[in-house]
């Protein structure tokens, strides 16, 4: 696992933990869904289903992309 994947997994776990805590506290389903969505986004970055703004910034700063 590279460092980026590890960070994505940490973010996914934190979001899942927050979602579980919110659910236990009786939060509205919509609020729990926000945490679940954040977790899915973090996992999606690992498998290439989503790309964060940070990744895009890295790509554009390191590579010359023609006009």
């Amino acid at each position: 696992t590279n460092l980026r994947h590890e960070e994505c997994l940490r973010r996914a776990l934190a979001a899942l933990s927050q979602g579980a805590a919110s659910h236990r506290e009786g939060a509205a389903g919509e609020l729990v869904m926000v945490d679940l969505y954040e977790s899915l986004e973090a996992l999606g970055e690992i498998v290439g289903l989503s790309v964060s703004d940070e990744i895009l910034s890295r790509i554009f700063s390191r590579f010359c992309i023609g006009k």
Side-chain angles (χ1 to χ4, degrees), residues 47-64:
V47 297
L49 295 176
S50 62
V51 180
S52 70
D53 290 337
E54 179 185 340
I55 298 295
L56 290 175
S57 294
R58 284 185 192 176
I59 291 170
F60 286 108
S61 70
R62 292 183 182 176
F63 299 101
C64 176

Side-chain angles (χ1 to χ4, degrees), residues 36-54:
L36 294 177
Y37 180 76
E38 286 181 27
S39 182
L40 283 173
E41 282 293 310
L43 294 174
E45 288 179 34
I46 295 172
V47 297
L49 295 176
S50 62
V51 180
S52 70
D53 290 337
E54 179 185 340

Side-chain angles (χ1 to χ4, degrees), residues 7-21 35 38-39 42:
E7 178 57 32
C8 289
L9 288 171
R10 287 179 198 272
R11 287 188 3 247
L13 180 58
L16 283 175
S17 295
Q18 179 60 46
D35 294 320
E38 286 181 27
S39 182

